[in-house]
Amino acid sequence: MTLLDSGIQKSQGVSIRFDWSLDEIQYLLEKPLMNLVWEAQIVHRSFNPEYKVQLASLLSVKTGGCEEDCSYCSQSIHNSSDVAGQSDFDVKGVLEQAKAAKDAGADRFCMGWAWREIRDGKPFESMLEMVRGVKSLGLEACVTGGMLSDQQAARLADAGLTAYNHNLDTSPEFYAQIISTRTFQERLETLDRVRNAGITICCGGIIGMGESLKDRASLLRVLATMNPHPESVPINALVPVEGTPLEDLNMVDSLEMVRMVATARILMPQSRVRLSAGREQLNKESQILCLLAGADSIFYGESLLTTSNPSVQSDKDMLASAGVSVNWDLYE
Ligand code: SAM
Ligand code: DTB
Ligand code: SF4
């Protein structure tokens, strides 16, 4: 039996496994922090020896008015958070923002639509044009817009889309406490459509929504037993937004983020582990610990979708003080 037959791939001395058990993952999450980070670093160093960090910028093309009831989200019509009323970006406006992101040093541009599912017609034709435009700037293009059909996935692939973001958010067991208008299974089916169209998958979750450690392990198990693993795994800390059911929750402890990142890195050695929402609430040292623990990407730019992100200058300073490989000459 070859390593591949047994479900194990080997690269640069580190095994890539797709058969992780819940107990193994929980054991990692609970390991003494020093040992966990050390193990994550060994894995990370063997796949990313130069410690390159990808800068991804984010733009909300269509904001608010979403029919889903995700209890963390400012953009749901079920929540009283007030983000509706902003007009949608047109193709020209999006490409101007993408060009600005590229000039600031980003190499991936992610566009968000607050939809339950992608709508055909003019908005979808514009989305395809935006993808083509972002790609022609030499950037990776990522879209997040809810569920999609096989046909829509194929057209996005034809337009050159690099990645589709569709998060599982939390464990299958905790999911119904966070969202009631769609199922975990529907999320998985959308991810299959994206994969079958040949688009890479960006799929991760949120911690700090009241889930248990076992829930975090269970979310990671679903991700780490996908074969192939999602190419990109965003790890978000809940940003409690006023007017959402989770508004009163406290920000998760920064070391919980470090543990989540380190465990994701060990489980999915070749994936991009992206330090996502909640970074503004982490101090410089905590962010650098997350990088040490294996995060190799951040969202870069003053805003996420509807909430704020650290300033470009503070990120440049943070990355420079961490000494990670970013070509500063490009955007000094
Ligand atoms: N409507 C699409 C969907 O749900 O797939 C795309 C947009 S949605 C805002 C993208 C992701 O952002 C969510 O799946 C969630 O993981 C994350 N997110 C949204 N609001 C957040 C918050 N307040 N704190 C942390 N992460 C959040
Ligand atoms: C992801 O996992 N996090 C990003 C991106 N993928 C689309 C979005 C974070 C949104 C945070 C809340 C907001 O700004 O509305
Ligand atoms: Fe809609 Fe996405 Fe927000 Fe859920 S997370 S309410 S699907 S925009």
Side-chain angles (χ1 to χ4, degrees):
M1 191 162 75
T2 65
L3 282 169
L4 262 179
D5 291 335
S6 68
I8 299 175
Q9 288 170 17
K10 223 167 168 125
S11 175
Q12 297 154 67
V14 175
S15 298
I16 300 191
R17 291 178 45 197
F18 304 95
D19 62 350
W20 293 96
S21 72
L22 192 63
D23 284 347
E24 282 177 298
I25 300 174
Q26 202 164 334
Y27 174 77
L28 285 172
L29 280 171
E30 287 177 314
K31 256 189 157 189
L33 191 66
M34 293 300 131
N35 298 352
L36 175 63
V37 172
W38 173 244
E39 198 176 320
Q41 281 209 293
I42 292 170
V43 173
H44 194 193
R45 286 275 167 185
S46 56
F47 284 90
N48 183 7
E50 291 174 58
Y51 234 103
K52 287 196 171 142
V53 171
Q54 186 188 50
L55 305 179
S57 288
L58 197 53
L59 176 70
S60 181
V61 177
K62 193 267 171 198
T63 306
C66 182
E67 301 97 326
E68 302 277 22
D69 70 351
C70 310
S71 48
Y72 50 78
C73 188
S74 59
Q75 306 196 63
S76 164
I77 52 171
H78 303 270
N79 299 337
S80 65
S81 40
D82 187 16
V83 292
Q86 296 180 35
S87 50
D88 300 357
F89 273 87
D90 60 10
V91 177
K92 187 166 168 284
V94 168
L95 296 183
E96 281 166 8
Q97 297 279 329
K99 172 81 171 55
K102 183 186 162 82
D103 291 345
D107 44 16
R108 180 163 170 129
F109 193 69
C110 310
M111 298 165 275
W113 279 258
W115 281 338
R116 175 172 162 77
E117 68 252 301
I118 292 187
R119 294 165 194 183
D120 277 326
K122 192 168 179 309
F124 184 51
E125 301 307 318
S126 300
M127 180 189 284
L128 295 170
E129 245 187 277
M130 291 167 194
V131 170
R132 285 188 284 264
V134 168
K135 286 305 293 286
S136 70
L137 287 169
L139 292 164
E140 290 183 6
C142 178
V143 160
T144 181
M147 295 184 252
L148 43 56
S149 65
D150 287 324
Q151 208 185 9
Q152 288 166 336
R155 291 195 67 200
L156 282 165
D158 277 351
L161 185 67
T162 312
Y164 195 79
N165 166 255
H166 201 66
N167 289 344
L168 291 173
D169 287 337
T170 191
S171 68
E173 297 77 21
F174 192 61
Y175 195 82
Q177 306 216 27
I178 299 297
I179 300 148
S180 78
T181 50
R182 58 157 197 259
T183 62
F184 195 85
Q185 186 55 33
E186 284 175 308
R187 290 306 261 188
L188 293 176
E189 285 163 14
T190 299
L191 291 167
D192 275 346
R193 290 198 182 92
V194 172
R195 180 60 82 204
N196 291 339
I199 301 167
T200 70
I201 288 181
C202 172
C203 182
I206 309 177
I207 64 167
M209 299 193 293
E211 75 287 341
S212 64
L213 192 88
K214 193 168 176 188
D215 287 312
R216 291 179 195 166
S218 176
L219 164 66
L220 287 171
R221 195 187 65 81
V222 178
L223 297 170
T225 54
M226 290 179 181
N227 187 356
H229 293 151
E231 285 75 6
S232 155
V233 180
I235 306 290
N236 296 276
L238 174 75
V239 178
V241 178
E242 207 183 315
T244 64
L246 304 185
E247 66 182 357
D248 290 329
L249 292 186
N250 292 325
M251 273 300 292
V252 74
D253 187 278
S254 53
L255 296 182
E256 297 296 303
M257 280 298 271
V258 177
R259 285 184 179 281
M260 196 68 185
V261 165
T263 306
R265 169 53 63 216
I266 294 166
L267 301 176
M268 295 169 279
Q270 277 182 312
S271 304
R272 245 179 229 298
V273 176
R274 201 182 313 281
L275 193 51
S276 302
R279 210 160 52 75
E280 203 177 29
Q281 287 72 22
L282 297 178
N283 65 19
K284 180 175 75 175
E285 292 76 13
S286 303
Q287 293 182 59
I288 292 176
L289 256 182
C290 288
L291 296 175
L292 268 176
D296 61 354
S297 174
I298 58 169
F299 280 116
Y300 174 71
E302 321 271 312
S303 65
L304 293 167
L305 292 173
T306 66
T307 63
S308 57
N309 201 38
S311 73
V312 162
Q313 191 55 50
S314 66
D315 277 346
K316 285 185 176 185
D317 293 345
M318 186 273 291
L319 292 167
S321 56
V324 296
S325 298
V326 177
N327 187 353
W328 299 108
D329 297 345
L330 282 176
Y331 44 94
E332 223 35 273

